[in-house]
Amino acid sequence: AQTVTQSQPEMSVQEAETVTLSCTYDTSESDYYLFWYKQPPSRQMILVIRQEAYKQQNATENRFSVNFQKAAKSFSLKISDSQLGDAAMYFCAYRSATRGGADGLTFGKGTHLIIQP
Amino acid sequence: KAGVTQTPRYLIKTRGQQVTLSCSPISGHRSVSWYQQTPGQGLQFLFEYFSETQRNKGNFPGRFSGRQFSNSRSEMNVSTLELGDSALYLCASRRDATNEKLFFGSGTQLSVL
């Protein structure tokens, strides 16, 4: 079974600075997807960024980028120019590429990101 | 385009009762999945439905069940409620089984007293 570990229960960053959230995972599969989701107080999970394991190039979405290290099974999220609206719980998630992802997402426990004004 | 809609937002039940939660996916999405979120266990996959068929189920007892209708709307049912079933239940939809982009609703907060 796959596992996802987020070792930072809480992180704090000054507005406009850069912060990196860590995520490691364990799997025996070679083909999979990795995600970062954001959950603000509204509780709705919002997809921040996605990475296909077969792609060596790190995904980027505006101020959000990842550092994907497949051999190390590491998938960190970097948020540049942090904004107050970035404050939320961030979840790292894994999805197998086999069986059309029918096994669902495996989530980490989350990192609570605080933005200091 | 409307997002994923879950009803009700909040629900209070007592032990032993049963409950039904509803989820309307984004228009055109044929796959619906359900997740349970608790402070202790975090987010856990319950099941996924595609074209009215359950594709897989997570490690949950038989008291948890679901179904999907021909219009892709889905319901999940929990029978014989236990205190430990108190959780936020999140529904997510995606266009089809080959699309990895999941869109989540805001969840139903279930409290079992």
Side-chain angles (χ1 to χ4, degrees):
Chain A
Q2 295 81 19
T3 58
V4 177
T5 302
Q6 293 178 249
S7 59
Q8 307 150 316
E10 187 172 279
M11 292 281 284
S12 182
V13 65
Q14 291 289 128
E15 193 176 2
E17 292 190 345
T18 296
V19 63
T20 299
L21 309 185
S22 301
C23 173
T24 58
Y25 59 95
D26 189 27
T27 183
S28 59
E29 298 179 327
S30 59
D31 199 11
Y32 50 87
Y33 300 89
L34 295 165
F35 308 84
W36 278 99
Y37 278 90
K38 166 185 175 181
Q39 188 178 40
S42 68
R43 309 178 312 185
Q44 184 179 20
M45 298 285 281
I46 301 165
L47 178 63
V48 174
I49 201 164
R50 174 183 84 163
Q51 175 81 41
E52 292 92 338
Y54 65 86
K55 288 186 178 178
Q56 292 188 338
Q57 187 173 7
N58 290 324
T60 61
E61 286 287 343
N62 302 312
R63 298 183 294 108
F64 299 87
S65 61
V66 297
N67 184 3
F68 174 48
Q69 302 288 328
K70 191 172 184 179
K73 297 179 182 173
S74 169
F75 183 62
S76 61
L77 174 70
K78 185 172 85 171
I79 306 174
S80 304
D81 186 26
S82 297
Q83 300 175 0
L84 295 177
D86 295 333
M89 283 293 291
Y90 284 81
F91 293 93
C92 178
Y94 170 104
R95 183 174 207 129
S96 170
T98 59
R99 298 186 347 105
D103 297 328
L105 289 167
T106 300
F107 285 92
K109 293 293 188 185
T111 296
H112 181 210
L113 179 64
I114 298 167
I115 311 294
Q116 305 279 5
Chain B
K1 203 177 209 180
V4 178
T5 304
Q6 290 188 246
T7 56
R9 287 293 304 268
Y10 300 92
L11 207 48
I12 300 175
K13 292 286 187 178
T14 57
R15 277 184 301 174
Q17 286 186 310
Q18 75 164 21
V19 67
T20 299
L21 311 182
S22 179
C23 173
S24 293
I26 291 172
S27 177
H29 286 196
R30 297 166 61 195
S31 170
V32 173
S33 51
W34 290 87
Y35 290 81
Q36 181 195 65
Q37 185 176 21
T38 61
Q41 298 298 316
L43 283 148
Q44 293 183 287
F45 170 71
L46 274 158
F47 29 63
E48 182 179 45
Y49 286 87
F50 180 72
S51 293
E52 302 177 63
T53 301
Q54 187 180 97
R55 299 185 71 220
N56 200 13
K57 184 176 179 180
N59 189 24
F60 281 86
R63 300 184 298 106
F64 291 81
S65 63
R67 59 178 175 169
Q68 186 181 33
F69 302 95
S70 58
N71 62 358
S72 294
R73 191 177 70 85
S74 176
E75 289 181 346
M76 69 162 278
N77 185 277
V78 187
S79 62
T80 319
L81 284 166
E82 301 177 359
L83 295 179
D85 297 334
S86 294
L88 178 66
Y89 290 89
L90 290 163
C91 169
S93 75
R94 54 177 173 154
R95 186 169 300 281
D96 53 48
T98 63
N99 192 298
E100 290 310 311
K101 205 163 184 181
L102 269 182
F103 294 86
F104 282 83
S106 295
T108 294
Q109 183 67 54
L110 172 65
S111 298
V112 182
L113 307 178

mmCIF file of all heavy atoms in Angstrom, chain B residues 11-47:
data_model
loop_
_atom_site.group_PDB
_atom_site.id
_atom_site.type_symbol
_atom_site.label_atom_id
_atom_site.label_comp_id
_atom_site.label_asym_id
_atom_site.label_seq_id
_atom_site.Cartn_x
_atom_site.Cartn_y
_atom_site.Cartn_z
ATOM 1 N N LEU B 11 -25.140 17.974 9.433
ATOM 2 C CA LEU B 11 -26.105 16.944 9.796
ATOM 3 C C LEU B 11 -25.772 16.443 11.196
ATOM 4 O O LEU B 11 -24.607 16.183 11.503
ATOM 5 C CB LEU B 11 -25.991 15.810 8.790
ATOM 6 C CG LEU B 11 -27.160 14.894 8.475
ATOM 7 C CD1 LEU B 11 -28.420 15.674 8.210
ATOM 8 C CD2 LEU B 11 -26.810 14.040 7.271
ATOM 9 N N ILE B 12 -26.793 16.319 12.018
ATOM 10 C CA ILE B 12 -26.607 15.757 13.354
ATOM 11 C C ILE B 12 -27.506 14.540 13.489
ATOM 12 O O ILE B 12 -28.713 14.617 13.241
ATOM 13 C CB ILE B 12 -26.934 16.793 14.455
ATOM 14 C CG1 ILE B 12 -26.022 18.010 14.325
ATOM 15 C CG2 ILE B 12 -26.788 16.157 15.847
ATOM 16 C CD1 ILE B 12 -26.358 19.134 15.291
ATOM 17 N N LYS B 13 -26.901 13.427 13.864
ATOM 18 C CA LYS B 13 -27.634 12.177 14.031
ATOM 19 C C LYS B 13 -27.266 11.555 15.373
ATOM 20 O O LYS B 13 -26.285 11.964 16.004
ATOM 21 C CB LYS B 13 -27.291 11.208 12.888
ATOM 22 C CG LYS B 13 -27.796 11.648 11.527
ATOM 23 C CD LYS B 13 -29.289 11.463 11.406
ATOM 24 C CE LYS B 13 -29.788 11.741 10.019
ATOM 25 N NZ LYS B 13 -31.257 11.513 9.902
ATOM 26 N N THR B 14 -28.016 10.557 15.765
ATOM 27 C CA THR B 14 -27.681 9.816 16.987
ATOM 28 C C THR B 14 -27.224 8.412 16.625
ATOM 29 O O THR B 14 -27.525 7.900 15.537
ATOM 30 C CB THR B 14 -28.871 9.758 17.942
ATOM 31 O OG1 THR B 14 -29.988 9.175 17.272
ATOM 32 C CG2 THR B 14 -29.248 11.138 18.435
ATOM 33 N N ARG B 15 -26.513 7.812 17.524
ATOM 34 C CA ARG B 15 -26.001 6.450 17.308
ATOM 35 C C ARG B 15 -27.128 5.499 16.932
ATOM 36 O O ARG B 15 -28.228 5.550 17.486
ATOM 37 C CB ARG B 15 -25.332 5.945 18.582
ATOM 38 C CG ARG B 15 -23.912 6.405 18.763
ATOM 39 C CD ARG B 15 -23.289 5.775 19.989
ATOM 40 N NE ARG B 15 -24.033 6.088 21.204
ATOM 41 C CZ ARG B 15 -23.759 5.562 22.376
ATOM 42 N NH1 ARG B 15 -22.793 4.682 22.512
ATOM 43 N NH2 ARG B 15 -24.468 5.889 23.434
ATOM 44 N N GLY B 16 -26.850 4.641 15.987
ATOM 45 C CA GLY B 16 -27.816 3.648 15.568
ATOM 46 C C GLY B 16 -28.675 4.080 14.391
ATOM 47 O O GLY B 16 -29.262 3.234 13.704
ATOM 48 N N GLN B 17 -28.744 5.384 14.157
ATOM 49 C CA GLN B 17 -29.532 5.862 13.025
ATOM 50 C C GLN B 17 -28.772 5.623 11.728
ATOM 51 O O GLN B 17 -27.614 5.210 11.732
ATOM 52 C CB GLN B 17 -29.835 7.354 13.177
ATOM 53 C CG GLN B 17 -30.879 7.683 14.225
ATOM 54 C CD GLN B 17 -31.239 9.156 14.213
ATOM 55 O OE1 GLN B 17 -30.368 10.035 14.232
ATOM 56 N NE2 GLN B 17 -32.534 9.449 14.183
ATOM 57 N N GLN B 18 -29.441 5.892 10.613
ATOM 58 C CA GLN B 18 -28.771 5.853 9.330
ATOM 59 C C GLN B 18 -28.857 7.237 8.686
ATOM 60 O O GLN B 18 -29.689 8.074 9.066
ATOM 61 C CB GLN B 18 -29.377 4.803 8.406
ATOM 62 C CG GLN B 18 -30.706 5.169 7.790
ATOM 63 C CD GLN B 18 -31.040 4.252 6.607
ATOM 64 O OE1 GLN B 18 -30.524 3.148 6.472
ATOM 65 N NE2 GLN B 18 -31.893 4.729 5.728
ATOM 66 N N VAL B 19 -27.967 7.479 7.732
ATOM 67 C CA VAL B 19 -27.912 8.788 7.110
ATOM 68 C C VAL B 19 -27.603 8.642 5.619
ATOM 69 O O VAL B 19 -26.908 7.703 5.205
ATOM 70 C CB VAL B 19 -26.833 9.669 7.790
ATOM 71 C CG1 VAL B 19 -25.423 9.125 7.537
ATOM 72 C CG2 VAL B 19 -26.936 11.121 7.342
ATOM 73 N N THR B 20 -28.148 9.552 4.834
ATOM 74 C CA THR B 20 -27.868 9.591 3.399
ATOM 75 C C THR B 20 -27.360 10.966 3.028
ATOM 76 O O THR B 20 -27.986 11.977 3.359
ATOM 77 C CB THR B 20 -29.136 9.280 2.581
ATOM 78 O OG1 THR B 20 -29.596 7.959 2.906
ATOM 79 C CG2 THR B 20 -28.836 9.342 1.082
ATOM 80 N N LEU B 21 -26.213 10.988 2.371
ATOM 81 C CA LEU B 21 -25.614 12.230 1.910
ATOM 82 C C LEU B 21 -25.692 12.276 0.395
ATOM 83 O O LEU B 21 -25.578 11.246 -0.274
ATOM 84 C CB LEU B 21 -24.142 12.315 2.347
ATOM 85 C CG LEU B 21 -23.832 12.010 3.812
ATOM 86 C CD1 LEU B 21 -22.345 12.183 4.078
ATOM 87 C CD2 LEU B 21 -24.649 12.872 4.736
ATOM 88 N N SER B 22 -25.842 13.488 -0.140
ATOM 89 C CA SER B 22 -26.028 13.633 -1.576
ATOM 90 C C SER B 22 -24.920 14.453 -2.215
ATOM 91 O O SER B 22 -24.378 15.373 -1.596
ATOM 92 C CB SER B 22 -27.386 14.287 -1.847
ATOM 93 O OG SER B 22 -27.586 14.467 -3.230
ATOM 94 N N CYS B 23 -24.609 14.117 -3.453
ATOM 95 C CA CYS B 23 -23.561 14.816 -4.189
ATOM 96 C C CYS B 23 -23.978 14.971 -5.645
ATOM 97 O O CYS B 23 -24.299 13.986 -6.318
ATOM 98 C CB CYS B 23 -22.252 14.038 -4.099
ATOM 99 S SG CYS B 23 -20.927 14.692 -5.146
ATOM 100 N N SER B 24 -23.950 16.199 -6.134
ATOM 101 C CA SER B 24 -24.195 16.458 -7.556
ATOM 102 C C SER B 24 -22.881 16.890 -8.193
ATOM 103 O O SER B 24 -22.321 17.924 -7.803
ATOM 104 C CB SER B 24 -25.243 17.548 -7.726
ATOM 105 O OG SER B 24 -26.502 17.114 -7.270
ATOM 106 N N PRO B 25 -22.381 16.113 -9.142
ATOM 107 C CA PRO B 25 -21.081 16.451 -9.752
ATOM 108 C C PRO B 25 -21.204 17.624 -10.711
ATOM 109 O O PRO B 25 -22.307 18.072 -11.013
ATOM 110 C CB PRO B 25 -20.727 15.168 -10.502
ATOM 111 C CG PRO B 25 -22.051 14.577 -10.874
ATOM 112 C CD PRO B 25 -22.965 14.907 -9.726
ATOM 113 N N ILE B 26 -20.078 18.074 -11.163
ATOM 114 C CA ILE B 26 -20.047 19.097 -12.199
ATOM 115 C C ILE B 26 -20.708 18.535 -13.463
ATOM 116 O O ILE B 26 -20.520 17.344 -13.779
ATOM 117 C CB ILE B 26 -18.598 19.521 -12.484
ATOM 118 C CG1 ILE B 26 -18.037 20.288 -11.290
ATOM 119 C CG2 ILE B 26 -18.483 20.364 -13.753
ATOM 120 C CD1 ILE B 26 -16.559 20.599 -11.370
ATOM 121 N N SER B 27 -21.463 19.373 -14.145
ATOM 122 C CA SER B 27 -22.146 18.932 -15.346
ATOM 123 C C SER B 27 -21.156 18.332 -16.345
ATOM 124 O O SER B 27 -20.113 18.936 -16.650
ATOM 125 C CB SER B 27 -22.865 20.125 -15.982
ATOM 126 O OG SER B 27 -23.488 19.748 -17.188
ATOM 127 N N GLY B 28 -21.472 17.136 -16.829
ATOM 128 C CA GLY B 28 -20.597 16.463 -17.785
ATOM 129 C C GLY B 28 -19.620 15.499 -17.136
ATOM 130 O O GLY B 28 -18.988 14.699 -17.832
ATOM 131 N N HIS B 29 -19.472 15.571 -15.836
ATOM 132 C CA HIS B 29 -18.593 14.637 -15.126
ATOM 133 C C HIS B 29 -19.342 13.349 -14.836
ATOM 134 O O HIS B 29 -20.463 13.377 -14.336
ATOM 135 C CB HIS B 29 -18.090 15.253 -13.818
ATOM 136 C CG HIS B 29 -17.041 16.297 -14.014
ATOM 137 N ND1 HIS B 29 -16.227 16.737 -12.988
ATOM 138 C CD2 HIS B 29 -16.658 16.977 -15.113
ATOM 139 C CE1 HIS B 29 -15.391 17.650 -13.458
ATOM 140 N NE2 HIS B 29 -15.640 17.815 -14.744
ATOM 141 N N ARG B 30 -18.683 12.231 -15.125
ATOM 142 C CA ARG B 30 -19.342 10.945 -14.967
ATOM 143 C C ARG B 30 -18.812 10.128 -13.792
ATOM 144 O O ARG B 30 -19.341 9.076 -13.476
ATOM 145 C CB ARG B 30 -19.201 10.148 -16.264
ATOM 146 C CG ARG B 30 -19.887 10.813 -17.463
ATOM 147 C CD ARG B 30 -19.440 10.197 -18.770
ATOM 148 N NE ARG B 30 -19.777 8.777 -18.838
ATOM 149 C CZ ARG B 30 -19.258 7.946 -19.734
ATOM 150 N NH1 ARG B 30 -18.366 8.382 -20.595
ATOM 151 N NH2 ARG B 30 -19.619 6.675 -19.746
ATOM 152 N N SER B 31 -17.743 10.600 -13.189
ATOM 153 C CA SER B 31 -17.143 9.866 -12.079
ATOM 154 C C SER B 31 -17.309 10.655 -10.782
ATOM 155 O O SER B 31 -17.059 11.864 -10.746
ATOM 156 C CB SER B 31 -15.658 9.615 -12.355
ATOM 157 O OG SER B 31 -15.016 9.108 -11.215
ATOM 158 N N VAL B 32 -17.735 9.957 -9.742
ATOM 159 C CA VAL B 32 -17.897 10.572 -8.428
ATOM 160 C C VAL B 32 -17.199 9.700 -7.392
ATOM 161 O O VAL B 32 -17.366 8.478 -7.382
ATOM 162 C CB VAL B 32 -19.393 10.714 -8.054
ATOM 163 C CG1 VAL B 32 -19.520 11.197 -6.614
ATOM 164 C CG2 VAL B 32 -20.086 11.687 -8.994
ATOM 165 N N SER B 33 -16.413 10.334 -6.544
ATOM 166 C CA SER B 33 -15.777 9.596 -5.463
ATOM 167 C C SER B 33 -16.069 10.279 -4.136
ATOM 168 O O SER B 33 -16.407 11.474 -4.102
ATOM 169 C CB SER B 33 -14.263 9.467 -5.687
ATOM 170 O OG SER B 33 -13.684 10.713 -5.961
ATOM 171 N N TRP B 34 -15.945 9.498 -3.066
ATOM 172 C CA TRP B 34 -16.236 9.985 -1.722
ATOM 173 C C TRP B 34 -15.034 9.776 -0.815
ATOM 174 O O TRP B 34 -14.345 8.740 -0.910
ATOM 175 C CB TRP B 34 -17.440 9.231 -1.141
ATOM 176 C CG TRP B 34 -18.751 9.545 -1.787
ATOM 177 C CD1 TRP B 34 -19.292 8.950 -2.898
ATOM 178 C CD2 TRP B 34 -19.712 10.518 -1.347
ATOM 179 N NE1 TRP B 34 -20.519 9.501 -3.182
ATOM 180 C CE2 TRP B 34 -20.805 10.459 -2.240
ATOM 181 C CE3 TRP B 34 -19.763 11.421 -0.281
ATOM 182 C CZ2 TRP B 34 -21.947 11.271 -2.110
ATOM 183 C CZ3 TRP B 34 -20.883 12.229 -0.142
ATOM 184 C CH2 TRP B 34 -21.957 12.154 -1.046
ATOM 185 N N TYR B 35 -14.828 10.744 0.071
ATOM 186 C CA TYR B 35 -13.731 10.674 1.038
ATOM 187 C C TYR B 35 -14.261 11.052 2.409
ATOM 188 O O TYR B 35 -15.161 11.895 2.540
ATOM 189 C CB TYR B 35 -12.602 11.632 0.648
ATOM 190 C CG TYR B 35 -11.841 11.204 -0.579
ATOM 191 C CD1 TYR B 35 -12.342 11.472 -1.849
ATOM 192 C CD2 TYR B 35 -10.641 10.508 -0.468
ATOM 193 C CE1 TYR B 35 -11.652 11.059 -2.983
ATOM 194 C CE2 TYR B 35 -9.953 10.095 -1.599
ATOM 195 C CZ TYR B 35 -10.472 10.373 -2.849
ATOM 196 O OH TYR B 35 -9.800 9.964 -3.967
ATOM 197 N N GLN B 36 -13.676 10.417 3.430
ATOM 198 C CA GLN B 36 -13.991 10.760 4.812
ATOM 199 C C GLN B 36 -12.802 11.509 5.398
ATOM 200 O O GLN B 36 -11.654 11.086 5.224
ATOM 201 C CB GLN B 36 -14.253 9.487 5.630
ATOM 202 C CG GLN B 36 -14.613 9.763 7.077
ATOM 203 C CD GLN B 36 -14.505 8.518 7.945
ATOM 204 O OE1 GLN B 36 -13.409 7.982 8.131
ATOM 205 N NE2 GLN B 36 -15.629 8.066 8.489
ATOM 206 N N GLN B 37 -13.067 12.618 6.082
ATOM 207 C CA GLN B 37 -11.990 13.375 6.708
ATOM 208 C C GLN B 37 -12.253 13.510 8.202
ATOM 209 O O GLN B 37 -13.271 14.058 8.622
ATOM 210 C CB GLN B 37 -11.854 14.774 6.080
ATOM 211 C CG GLN B 37 -10.660 15.562 6.609
ATOM 212 C CD GLN B 37 -10.463 16.892 5.915
ATOM 213 O OE1 GLN B 37 -11.377 17.446 5.301
ATOM 214 N NE2 GLN B 37 -9.256 17.442 5.979
ATOM 215 N N THR B 38 -11.343 12.987 9.019
ATOM 216 C CA THR B 38 -11.418 13.096 10.471
ATOM 217 C C THR B 38 -10.089 13.613 10.995
ATOM 218 O O THR B 38 -9.047 13.432 10.363
ATOM 219 C CB THR B 38 -11.715 11.731 11.131
ATOM 220 O OG1 THR B 38 -10.640 10.833 10.797
ATOM 221 C CG2 THR B 38 -13.036 11.163 10.677
ATOM 222 N N PRO B 39 -10.104 14.239 12.170
ATOM 223 C CA PRO B 39 -8.843 14.731 12.744
ATOM 224 C C PRO B 39 -7.841 13.605 13.011
ATOM 225 O O PRO B 39 -6.640 13.800 12.860
ATOM 226 C CB PRO B 39 -9.299 15.394 14.055
ATOM 227 C CG PRO B 39 -10.729 15.754 13.826
ATOM 228 C CD PRO B 39 -11.279 14.659 12.964
ATOM 229 N N GLY B 40 -8.330 12.441 13.368
ATOM 230 C CA GLY B 40 -7.430 11.345 13.708
ATOM 231 C C GLY B 40 -6.900 10.577 12.515
ATOM 232 O O GLY B 40 -5.702 10.310 12.412
ATOM 233 N N GLN B 41 -7.766 10.224 11.600
ATOM 234 C CA GLN B 41 -7.377 9.392 10.459
ATOM 235 C C GLN B 41 -7.060 10.191 9.203
ATOM 236 O O GLN B 41 -6.540 9.651 8.233
ATOM 237 C CB GLN B 41 -8.488 8.398 10.133
ATOM 238 C CG GLN B 41 -8.794 7.414 11.253
ATOM 239 C CD GLN B 41 -7.590 6.541 11.572
ATOM 240 O OE1 GLN B 41 -6.920 6.040 10.676
ATOM 241 N NE2 GLN B 41 -7.291 6.395 12.846
ATOM 242 N N GLY B 42 -7.367 11.472 9.220
ATOM 243 C CA GLY B 42 -7.118 12.289 8.034
ATOM 244 C C GLY B 42 -8.126 12.001 6.944
ATOM 245 O O GLY B 42 -9.269 11.647 7.209
ATOM 246 N N LEU B 43 -7.666 12.135 5.714
ATOM 247 C CA LEU B 43 -8.528 11.913 4.548
ATOM 248 C C LEU B 43 -8.386 10.478 4.063
ATOM 249 O O LEU B 43 -7.286 10.020 3.778
ATOM 250 C CB LEU B 43 -8.125 12.865 3.421
ATOM 251 C CG LEU B 43 -8.592 14.297 3.571
ATOM 252 C CD1 LEU B 43 -7.589 15.259 2.959
ATOM 253 C CD2 LEU B 43 -9.958 14.462 2.896
ATOM 254 N N GLN B 44 -9.528 9.804 3.963
ATOM 255 C CA GLN B 44 -9.510 8.411 3.526
ATOM 256 C C GLN B 44 -10.515 8.190 2.408
ATOM 257 O O GLN B 44 -11.654 8.672 2.479
ATOM 258 C CB GLN B 44 -9.836 7.477 4.693
ATOM 259 C CG GLN B 44 -8.773 7.467 5.786
ATOM 260 C CD GLN B 44 -9.110 6.470 6.878
ATOM 261 O OE1 GLN B 44 -10.007 6.679 7.684
ATOM 262 N NE2 GLN B 44 -8.390 5.366 6.891
ATOM 263 N N PHE B 45 -10.090 7.449 1.403
ATOM 264 C CA PHE B 45 -10.926 7.120 0.261
ATOM 265 C C PHE B 45 -12.014 6.134 0.664
ATOM 266 O O PHE B 45 -11.743 5.092 1.265
ATOM 267 C CB PHE B 45 -10.048 6.526 -0.839
ATOM 268 C CG PHE B 45 -10.781 5.928 -1.996
ATOM 269 C CD1 PHE B 45 -11.446 6.736 -2.896
ATOM 270 C CD2 PHE B 45 -10.797 4.555 -2.193
ATOM 271 C CE1 PHE B 45 -12.114 6.180 -3.977
ATOM 272 C CE2 PHE B 45 -11.456 3.993 -3.269
ATOM 273 C CZ PHE B 45 -12.117 4.807 -4.162
ATOM 274 N N LEU B 46 -13.246 6.483 0.321
ATOM 275 C CA LEU B 46 -14.381 5.597 0.605
ATOM 276 C C LEU B 46 -14.707 4.730 -0.607
ATOM 277 O O LEU B 46 -14.670 3.510 -0.549
ATOM 278 C CB LEU B 46 -15.609 6.425 0.988
ATOM 279 C CG LEU B 46 -15.717 6.807 2.458
ATOM 280 C CD1 LEU B 46 -16.615 8.013 2.629
ATOM 281 C CD2 LEU B 46 -16.252 5.632 3.267
ATOM 282 N N PHE B 47 -15.125 5.350 -1.700
ATOM 283 C CA PHE B 47 -15.419 4.624 -2.937
ATOM 284 C C PHE B 47 -15.532 5.596 -4.101
ATOM 285 O O PHE B 47 -15.645 6.803 -3.920
ATOM 286 C CB PHE B 47 -16.689 3.761 -2.856
ATOM 287 C CG PHE B 47 -17.755 4.239 -1.918
ATOM 288 C CD1 PHE B 47 -18.398 5.449 -2.112
ATOM 289 C CD2 PHE B 47 -18.124 3.454 -0.827
ATOM 290 C CE1 PHE B 47 -19.380 5.870 -1.250
ATOM 291 C CE2 PHE B 47 -19.123 3.875 0.036
ATOM 292 C CZ PHE B 47 -19.754 5.077 -0.162
#
